[in-house]
């Protein structure tokens, strides 16, 4: 959400920010609607003031026994009631129009975000690890089905496309990965583990930017709630409508939950395997900070996600996303991309984003400094630490041997009863 007062003061900065994201100028239409709204509010205030004055004058006219003047004033008050109703409706309608217009516009990119139209404009920051030499690497589908522990056909019969049954040791490996990730983030990085709701109301989905723009990407229940596409929605909305004391920040939260996505915009993309599914597990990281903490917190969060890949000894690179490839609510995003041998390329496994006060304005989430008057909007950050399904895929492909067995990464072996292989 955007501050209309800041937009009035510096419309050029907003249009430049949106232009960097490939959008045309938005401020002329916004300011025109804002001007209409303020005119309606002024007319409403004038009518209210005149009604109040006329009401007082009625009593004075009756005290003077000037019945004609009293009747005239009473007629004026009745007329003003209609004017007030009309102006009140105009005020409400224009307020909603302006709110909807502002809510549909993405966050402005930070000053150090590189320009670019799409993923080709992203800038590599660093790489870690080296790809293991694998002769004729199989993809995770061939490996999982070869082990008899990954069943897409049965999942299609029960649920349709983009679902999978994991069985036996692969199901256990998925569980081990989630526990491993949570342990790192809670024991080493100071995140508080949370078990959040998987269903949220409109207010929560609006607060983190899923509504109204991305409703088609979500699953909705018959009672009007939404299945979370990521635990970011539940975790960030812990501060929905709240005023937090500054000493309580930064607030660092993590959760392992299922995530549900319709993948409405991904028709034909990654239809094979587990890369893009309707249901998957993910460990989410969320930070609530003061504005002066958020940039440093963003770097810290990205490092926390990188730690998981380093412990699993999976080669990856860290990318700074360009203006045209960032998510709707982000002002700056780092993507972690893990090496996939079967594809011979790096694929996204985590996005860590600083949203600034964009989500906080939508949620009306603030903080207060003790001893100071007033409140300020918090800053919110979120990241994957990591997507469990994609990490499972990366482990299968990077740790395969020529016989189709999977070597279990040393860091995961304690979670697998000390076993060293699957298959």
């Amino acid at each position: 959400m955007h501050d209309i007062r800041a937009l009035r003061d510096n419309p050029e900065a907003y249009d430049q920010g949106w232009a960097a994201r490939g959008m045309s100028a938005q401020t002329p239409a916004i300011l025109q609607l804002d001007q209409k709204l303020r005119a309606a509010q002024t007319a409403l205030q004038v009518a209210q003031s005149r009604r109040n004055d006329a009401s007082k004058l009625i009593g004075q006219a009756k005290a003077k026994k000037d019945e004609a003047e009293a009747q005239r004033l009473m007629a004026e008050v009745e007329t003003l009631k209609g004017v007030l109703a009309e102006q009140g409706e105009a005020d409400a309608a224009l307020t909603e129009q302006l709110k909807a217009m502002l809510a549909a516009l993405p966050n402005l990119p930070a000053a150090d975000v590189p320009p670019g139209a799409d993923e080709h404009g992203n800038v590599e920051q660093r790489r870690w690890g080296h790809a293991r030499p694998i002769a004729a690497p199989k993809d995770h589908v061939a490996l999982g089905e070869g082990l008899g522990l990954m069943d897409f056909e049965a999942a299609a019969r029960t649920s349709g496309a983009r679902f999978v049954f994991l069985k036996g040791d692969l199901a256990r490996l998925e569980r081990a990965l989630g526990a491993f990730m949570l342990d790192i983030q809670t024991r080493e990085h100071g995140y508080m583990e949370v078990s959040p709701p998987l269903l949220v109301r409109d207010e929560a989905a609006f607060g983190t930017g899923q509504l109204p723009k991305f409703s088609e990407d979500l699953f909705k229940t018959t009672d009007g709630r939404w299945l979370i596409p990521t635990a970011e929605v539940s975790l960030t909305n812990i501060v929905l409508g709240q005023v937090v004391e500054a000493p309580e920040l930064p607030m660092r939260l993590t959760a392992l939950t299922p995530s549900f996505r319709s993948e409405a915009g991904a028709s034909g993309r990654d239809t094979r395997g587990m890369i893009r599914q309707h249901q998957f597990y993910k460990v989410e990281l969320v930070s609530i900070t003061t504005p002066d903490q958020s940039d440093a917190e963003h770097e810290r969060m990205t490092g926390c996600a990188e730690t998981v890949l380093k412990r699993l000894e999976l080669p990856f690179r860290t990318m700074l996303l360009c203006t045209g490839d960032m998510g709707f609510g982000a002002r700056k995003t780092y993507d972690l991309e893990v090496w996939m041998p079967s594809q011979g390329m790096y694929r996204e496994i985590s996005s860590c984003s600083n949203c600034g006060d964009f989500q906080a304005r939508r949620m009306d989430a603030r903080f207060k400094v003790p001893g100071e008057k007033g409140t300020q909007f918090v800053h919110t950050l979120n990241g994957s630490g990591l997507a469990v399904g994609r990490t499972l895929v990366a482990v299968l492909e990077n740790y395969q041997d020529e016989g189709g067995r999977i070597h279990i990464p040393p860091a995961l072996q304690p979670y697998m009863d000390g076993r060293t292989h699957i298959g």
Side-chain angles (χ1 to χ4, degrees):
M1 201 70 168
H2 299 284
D3 181 0
I4 186 63
R5 289 171 294 184
L7 196 147
R8 288 180 201 136
D9 293 340
N10 194 2
E12 295 82 7
Y14 281 81
D15 276 336
Q16 288 172 6
W18 287 321
R21 301 191 70 148
M23 301 175 64
S24 59
Q26 302 292 313
T27 58
I30 295 170
L31 294 176
Q32 183 179 26
L33 184 57
D34 178 53
Q35 190 172 24
K36 287 182 180 179
L37 172 59
R38 287 193 286 168
Q41 291 172 336
T42 298
L44 182 61
Q45 292 168 358
V46 169
Q48 287 171 334
S49 178
R50 179 54 193 161
R51 182 193 62 181
N52 293 338
D53 291 342
S55 297
K56 293 177 183 177
L57 292 172
I58 290 171
Q60 295 175 12
K62 287 191 174 183
K64 295 177 183 179
K65 300 192 182 300
D66 188 345
E67 195 61 32
E69 179 64 5
Q71 290 297 323
R72 186 190 70 76
L73 291 167
M74 290 168 66
E76 182 179 358
V77 168
E78 284 300 312
T79 300
L80 287 169
K81 286 182 180 178
V83 173
L84 285 169
E86 182 179 334
Q87 293 299 331
E89 290 176 2
D91 181 7
L94 290 168
T95 296
E96 284 303 309
Q97 288 179 39
L98 183 59
K99 180 180 177 181
M101 186 178 290
L102 292 172
L105 292 168
N107 204 351
L108 301 182
D112 58 344
V113 172
D118 52 33
E119 67 272 12
H120 297 100
N122 298 341
V123 178
E124 184 175 319
Q125 304 296 291
R126 52 191 171 268
R127 291 192 184 201
W128 187 93
H130 300 282
R132 296 170 178 81
I134 303 173
K138 298 178 181 178
D139 71 6
H140 68 282
V141 178
L143 290 165
E145 291 181 339
L147 291 166
L149 302 178
M150 188 179 288
D151 193 336
F152 291 96
E153 291 185 7
R157 291 195 299 270
T158 60
S159 304
R162 297 190 190 272
F163 290 94
V164 66
F165 277 108
L166 295 180
K167 305 174 185 178
D169 285 340
L170 286 193
R172 182 168 185 176
L173 183 61
E174 181 183 52
R175 176 160 53 92
L177 281 166
F180 169 71
M181 294 173 190
L182 280 180
D183 285 348
I184 288 177
Q185 306 306 346
T186 57
R187 296 176 181 176
E188 302 180 27
H189 297 150
Y191 286 87
M192 176 186 288
E193 183 176 353
V194 178
S195 179
L198 303 182
L199 293 169
V200 297
R201 296 163 57 180
D202 287 358
E203 295 90 334
F206 176 83
T208 45
Q210 279 72 33
L211 293 181
K213 189 175 178 64
F214 302 103
S215 60
E216 66 174 9
D217 294 324
L218 307 178
F219 289 109
K220 192 173 187 178
T221 63
T222 54
D223 65 355
R225 292 180 175 86
W226 303 89
L227 285 166
I228 59 169
T230 163
E232 169 204 344
V233 180
S234 302
L235 294 179
T236 310
N237 275 282
I238 278 181
V239 292
L240 172 67
Q242 301 300 300
V243 176
V244 183
E245 293 295 325
E248 298 176 23
L249 303 176
M251 185 186 300
R252 297 181 178 123
L253 309 170
T254 186
L256 168 62
T257 67
S259 299
F260 305 92
R261 299 184 184 179
S262 71
E263 298 292 351
S267 178
R269 295 173 58 196
D270 297 310
T271 55
R272 176 178 168 83
M274 292 179 60
I275 294 294
R276 195 178 298 275
Q277 295 200 298
H278 291 311
Q279 173 189 315
F280 57 95
Y281 284 97
K282 184 155 70 80
V283 171
E284 187 71 8
L285 307 175
V286 163
S287 294
I288 314 294
T289 77
T290 57
D292 62 311
Q293 297 170 327
S294 68
D295 288 341
E297 186 70 15
H298 191 202
E299 301 297 325
R300 181 188 188 277
M301 174 181 284
T302 304
C304 292
E306 289 175 338
T307 298
V308 179
L309 291 170
K310 291 177 181 178
R311 297 285 176 82
L312 293 172
E313 301 178 55
L314 292 171
F316 69 93
R317 65 180 184 178
T318 301
M319 307 292 290
L320 174 59
L321 299 197
C322 68
T323 53
D325 199 34
M326 289 195 306
F328 178 78
R331 68 188 300 268
K332 184 177 180 179
T333 297
Y334 291 112
D335 269 10
L336 307 186
E337 298 180 348
V338 69
W339 178 252
M340 294 294 188
S342 70
Q343 300 180 28
M345 63 187 297
Y346 290 94
R347 294 298 305 269
E348 179 201 336
I349 198 167
S350 170
S351 282
C352 297
S353 298
N354 185 350
C355 297
D357 65 2
F358 183 80
Q359 293 178 328
R361 289 182 179 278
R362 299 169 78 98
M363 297 185 298
D364 192 23
R366 302 168 182 265
F367 73 95
K368 187 179 189 307
V369 177
E372 294 186 7
K373 293 183 178 179
T375 59
Q376 302 176 53
F377 287 107
V378 299
H379 278 200
T380 63
L381 302 93
N382 63 80
S384 304
L386 306 161
V388 177
R390 291 195 179 193
T391 309
L392 176 69
V393 168
V395 168
L396 294 181
E397 294 202 4
N398 282 277
Y399 282 90
Q400 63 180 293
D401 66 19
E402 293 181 1
R405 292 193 312 167
I406 309 300
H407 177 71
I408 299 171
L412 287 180
Q413 290 174 15
Y415 294 83
M416 299 289 289
D417 285 341
R419 295 180 56 193
T420 59
H421 291 81
I422 294 175

